[in-house]
Amino acid sequence: MGTLGNQFILSRERRRFGRQCLFTDRNEMILSVQPSGRLRLKYILRNPIDERTQLSPQYALSTAITQNVTLDNHGLNHYEGGWNVKEVNVMDEEATLRYRKKVERDDSWGIEVNQILRDVMTISSQNNSINIYQEFFIDLPEDLGRGIKINITAKIISVFHDLWFPARKLTACEWSTSEPWSFILTYCEPRSMTQDYVPPENQLPDFGNNNPNEFFKWDSDDPIRPIAHYRSSPSYGMLNTMVLIAKVCMREENYMVGGFNSGQVCYWNSDEFGPPKKICPLEASHREATTAVCWVHSKLNTEFYSGSLDGSVKYWDTRDLVMPVHEILCEPFPNDVQIRQDSHGVTVMEFEYTIPIRYILGSDMGWVFACNRKGTTATETIASCYPMFCGPIRTIMRNPFFVKNFMLIGDWRMRVWSEEVKNAPSTFYFRRRHQLISGAWSTGRCSLFVLGDNRGNLEFFDLIMLHSRPILTIKFKYPVVHLMFRPDGQVLSVGLGNGDCILLRMDEGMRSATVKEKSLMMAMFEREISRCKLLEAREEEIKLKKRLTILHEEEARKTLAKLEAKKKKILAKKEAAPKEEDEATILLRLIEGDEEFSKTMMEFNEIIDLVTAKRSKRINSIERTVFERDLYY
């Protein structure tokens, strides 16, 4: 041990250091490469061996005789402007002089003049120093501005697996607005409806219960253990009751409602774990599975709508779930007496709190229904309906920045619809190669939306950058069944077909929008809306012209039919009435009836024919006088 206390001596035996290294010198050939005969035949003798070459850039001098340029100097006349015409007569010199002195006495006049002089001198200097017809900076490298471009990337920050094995089906993801770090994942177990169902194994038995239809509330920073659990039924015997959808109230996040596969609806208090607080009775529920639920605006935040595949839409109050407040059938052309067999099944519902009167339905037949909350009958409630897709509508979501424009997703297409256009609601149209299942607008960037298909392709579109193809595509192994942005737009939750939920963090260029981008998007939407309105007006004009043409043709046909009828009547009257004979006709009829006169006329005609025959046989001899003989002979 040294004096400073920082020295330590370790002693070991020699036999513990291993085998001794012995070094010796020896000669050993490692590699021998024989000369190649083929390469020797290719050898070319050259003389001289050394040659000179010039590798420097070559320059050539050329001259051209240009045309003479004539230069001319001109002066610039400055006129005073900015006169207040209401107070000053520009043609009156005294009035302009008084107004000029009034302006010069102002304190800001000198500062403004100096600033204007600086701007004028700067602009004139630039015009004198820069040739506007010359191309500048053409010799700069292409990658010079590569570092200032916007990065368009999305990184996986965490993956949330289902706590049950095998994994259940993920149906929805709901972010919390008051707690942006928490979200709810809703699962269901369709295999529990089969006869040979084997309950899955709980991977976290110390959390929750043994109900395979329960769903959880997660913390985005902890993908291992949930922070809350909710189950579908109050009793453990009702294991076949599945929660197909659950929605948290945006205004009061302690309230949460859900829909079961049996058609019932229920109510949870999100602060208390476990079973629902209230469940509607089976006789008041839907006839088929409850597939859509949406909260609506109310004073106490206790009212919501539910839709089912049986075609019914019911209005509930969580304070009393014994009977619905109101019920209608989702018919395309409703009447006072509704028929259930004509109604469409409801797949999605949408409600915007800034538009408290309207809500929108999407059917399994591809129709969109715009409904009015103030209506009491079906004809008053269903304001309009449009056939949009060939299959069921998967998603309806409004743009968070422009709430009158929202996306519709179904079959292989995505459409952007505007409420301001009635007969032609689609303003944008996107068609993809594979069937689309989910989609969502970005809550941070007004022009960004994302689509997910059944092949696992996650595509990001930006309407300001490109319309023809996505700006970013991420490939997953399983179908993308649900998409939802966090309220701040920085994180995207991606629900996959295998039950996993992946959180993607957006890059800076994909999660924020500037004021200029918002104005560009507003102008784009207004331009598309005006285009649709012009097309709608043109369509109405064509329809009106067609109706007028049909009316004119019908009137012309009726007029022609009347004229033909009148002609037929006149002809019938003429045929029925006796004909009046004129004098010549009467005389001719009398002559034809007189036999003696006819016989006399026949004899007269025979005598005439005889005389004509005799005249034709007569021979005429011409006798000439003495004078004529001398003249002609």
Side-chain angles (χ1 to χ4, degrees):
M1 186 69 66
T3 57
L4 297 178
N6 57 357
Q7 184 179 4
F8 179 74
I9 299 174
L10 175 64
S11 61
R12 296 185 67 182
E13 297 180 358
R14 173 64 187 81
R15 59 187 181 86
R16 294 183 180 274
F17 283 103
R19 186 177 179 182
Q20 183 180 2
C21 297
L22 301 177
F23 300 96
T24 59
D25 295 334
R26 61 179 180 177
N27 296 325
E28 183 178 353
M29 184 176 64
I30 299 175
L31 178 65
S32 177
V33 180
Q34 300 296 328
S36 176
R38 294 182 179 180
L39 296 178
R40 183 180 300 172
L41 294 175
K42 294 181 181 180
Y43 182 76
I44 300 174
L45 296 175
R46 299 184 63 184
N47 190 16
I49 299 175
D50 298 332
E51 293 183 357
R52 295 180 180 180
T53 180
Q54 181 68 25
L55 300 178
S56 60
Q58 297 181 2
Y59 298 94
L61 177 63
S62 61
T63 59
I65 300 176
T66 59
Q67 297 180 358
N68 295 329
V69 179
T70 303
L71 303 178
D72 193 6
N73 296 326
H74 294 278
L76 182 65
N77 297 326
H78 297 273
Y79 293 93
E80 292 178 343
W83 299 104
N84 192 348
V85 183
K86 296 182 179 179
E87 298 180 2
V88 181
N89 184 9
V90 182
M91 306 304 296
D92 189 0
E93 186 177 355
E94 294 182 359
T96 55
L97 183 62
R98 287 196 301 270
Y99 188 76
R100 188 184 297 109
K101 289 182 179 179
K102 177 182 176 182
V103 173
E104 290 177 356
R105 285 195 296 269
D106 193 358
D107 296 337
S108 62
W109 178 77
I111 300 173
E112 293 176 356
V113 170
N114 290 332
Q115 184 64 33
I116 291 173
L117 285 176
R118 293 193 195 95
D119 296 340
V120 170
M121 293 301 297
T122 302
I123 295 172
S124 61
S125 301
Q126 290 178 355
N127 292 336
N128 294 332
S129 59
I130 298 177
N131 183 8
I132 62 175
Y133 299 102
Q134 182 180 352
E135 295 183 359
F136 296 92
F137 312 113
I138 59 176
D139 56 340
L140 296 178
E142 296 181 357
D143 58 346
L144 181 64
R146 186 170 297 174
I148 60 175
K149 68 179 181 180
I150 300 177
N151 294 325
I152 303 175
T153 57
K155 300 179 181 178
I156 299 176
I157 56 177
S158 57
V159 180
F160 293 81
H161 301 284
D162 188 18
L163 297 183
W164 294 80
F165 181 81
R168 300 171 296 171
K169 180 182 177 182
L170 177 64
T171 57
C173 174
E174 284 288 320
W175 286 94
S176 174
T177 55
S178 61
E179 300 174 351
W181 43 267
S182 65
F183 59 95
I184 295 176
L185 294 180
T186 307
Y187 292 91
C188 67
E189 182 63 23
R191 295 186 293 265
S192 62
M193 306 301 295
T194 59
Q195 296 181 356
D196 55 347
Y197 171 65
V198 178
E201 181 183 356
N202 191 357
Q203 302 294 320
L204 200 64
D206 59 336
F207 184 83
N209 50 62
N210 293 325
N211 190 342
N213 292 314
E214 64 182 356
F215 56 99
F216 308 101
K217 183 177 182 180
W218 296 82
D219 187 349
S220 58
D221 296 331
D222 186 8
I224 299 176
R225 187 181 181 87
I227 58 178
H229 66 89
Y230 310 94
R231 67 171 182 264
S232 58
S233 57
S235 62
Y236 293 97
M238 300 175 60
L239 296 179
N240 58 349
T241 304
M242 295 183 297
V243 179
L244 299 182
I245 186 170
K247 290 283 185 179
V248 180
C249 183
M250 294 181 60
R251 300 298 178 87
E252 184 62 42
E253 294 194 357
N254 293 331
Y255 299 159
M256 182 172 61
V257 294
F260 293 162
N261 63 328
S262 60
Q264 296 173 289
V265 295
C266 61
Y267 160 71
W268 286 278
N269 190 348
S270 59
D271 291 340
E272 300 178 7
F273 309 156
K277 298 297 180 183
K278 296 179 182 179
I279 300 179
C280 75
L282 194 60
E283 59 271 11
S285 64
H286 297 279
R287 299 187 180 184
E288 294 187 19
T290 304
T291 54
V293 171
C294 71
W295 289 91
V296 295
H297 176 76
S298 61
K299 293 182 179 180
L300 300 177
N301 298 317
T302 58
E303 300 173 0
F304 66 96
Y305 278 98
S306 66
S308 173
L309 294 178
D310 63 351
S312 62
V313 178
K314 296 188 177 185
Y315 186 37
W316 302 87
D317 194 332
T318 56
R319 295 172 295 179
D320 184 12
L321 292 180
V322 177
M323 287 294 292
V325 180
H326 182 58
E327 180 182 0
I328 62 168
L329 295 180
C330 189
E331 286 185 293
F333 306 102
N335 298 319
D336 294 336
V337 178
Q338 292 191 286
I339 303 174
R340 186 175 293 273
Q341 64 184 5
D342 296 336
S343 61
H344 292 187
V346 180
T347 55
V348 287
M349 303 181 70
E350 195 277 335
F351 177 80
E352 174 61 33
Y353 279 89
T354 57
I355 310 176
I357 301 177
R358 289 187 175 272
Y359 65 96
I360 300 173
L361 307 176
S363 72
D364 57 349
M365 305 296 289
W367 285 60
V368 176
F369 296 83
C371 301
N372 186 10
R373 288 187 59 200
K374 301 298 182 180
T376 56
T377 61
T379 54
E380 295 176 356
T381 303
I382 300 177
S384 57
C385 56
Y386 308 96
M388 303 293 291
F389 299 97
C390 299
I393 297 178
R394 307 287 187 179
T395 303
I396 297 178
M397 184 177 182
R398 293 182 183 268
N399 191 312
F401 301 88
F402 309 98
V403 293
K404 290 186 178 181
N405 301 275
F406 52 89
M407 67 159 56
L408 299 168
I409 293 178
D411 50 54
W412 292 265
R413 293 168 291 176
M414 177 269 184
R415 294 189 177 193
V416 179
W417 186 20
S418 177
E419 288 186 347
E420 297 183 5
V421 185
K422 296 181 179 179
N423 294 337
S426 293
T427 54
F428 290 96
Y429 180 92
F430 295 89
R431 185 177 181 89
R432 308 310 300 157
R433 180 174 298 179
H434 305 296
Q435 187 174 1
L436 298 178
I437 300 179
S438 57
W441 281 106
S442 174
T443 54
R445 187 178 176 87
C446 57
S447 61
L448 182 69
F449 65 91
V450 59
L451 302 177
D453 59 15
N454 60 348
R455 297 297 182 91
N457 297 317
L458 183 65
E459 297 177 339
F460 293 84
F461 284 84
D462 196 313
L463 296 177
I464 294 180
M465 295 184 182
L466 289 173
H467 284 196
S468 58
R469 63 180 185 274
I471 60 173
L472 177 64
T473 302
I474 301 176
K475 177 67 177 177
F476 294 102
K477 294 182 180 180
Y478 302 96
V480 181
V481 297
H482 191 270
L483 295 170
M484 182 62 67
F485 278 91
R486 203 166 69 180
D488 56 1
Q490 297 184 4
V491 178
L492 171 66
S493 63
V494 182
L496 300 181
N498 64 338
D500 294 344
C501 180
I502 299 177
L503 299 186
L504 298 178
R505 183 178 298 278
M506 302 293 104
D507 210 339
E508 183 63 31
M510 300 176 65
R511 63 189 183 196
S512 61
T514 61
V515 179
K516 186 177 180 180
E517 292 176 355
K518 293 181 181 179
S519 60
L520 288 175
M521 280 299 300
M522 183 183 297
M524 185 182 299
F525 281 128
E526 290 178 354
R527 182 176 67 250
E528 293 297 326
I529 291 170
S530 63
R531 179 183 65 84
C532 292
K533 287 184 178 179
L534 290 175
L535 293 176
E536 180 183 355
R538 178 58 180 166
E539 184 181 0
E540 291 294 332
E541 182 181 352
I542 293 173
K543 289 181 180 179
L544 179 61
K545 186 177 180 180
K546 188 175 180 180
R547 287 196 297 268
L548 293 176
T549 305
I550 293 173
L551 291 175
H552 290 321
E553 291 178 355
E554 187 68 20
E555 290 179 358
R557 188 182 62 80
K558 290 181 179 180
T559 306
L560 185 61
K562 289 180 180 179
L563 293 175
E564 291 291 337
K566 287 182 179 180
K567 288 182 180 180
K568 288 181 180 180
K569 289 182 180 180
I570 293 170
L571 291 175
K573 287 181 181 180
K574 286 183 179 180
E575 292 177 356
K579 296 182 178 179
E580 297 181 358
E581 297 179 352
D582 54 355
E583 295 179 356
T585 307
I586 296 172
L587 179 61
L588 183 60
R589 186 168 54 81
L590 291 174
I591 292 173
E592 291 177 352
D594 192 355
E595 295 181 357
E596 295 181 359
F597 183 77
S598 300
K599 187 177 180 180
T600 306
M601 286 299 296
M602 288 178 63
E603 292 178 354
F604 178 74
N605 290 332
E606 290 178 358
I607 293 170
I608 292 296
D609 292 339
L610 223 117
V611 172
T612 304
K614 289 181 179 181
R615 285 182 180 178
S616 61
K617 295 179 180 179
R618 185 185 300 175
I619 299 173
N620 296 326
S621 59
I622 300 175
E623 295 182 359
R624 301 184 185 278
T625 61
V626 178
F627 301 101
E628 288 178 344
R629 291 174 184 169
D630 295 339
L631 181 62
Y632 289 99
Y633 294 100

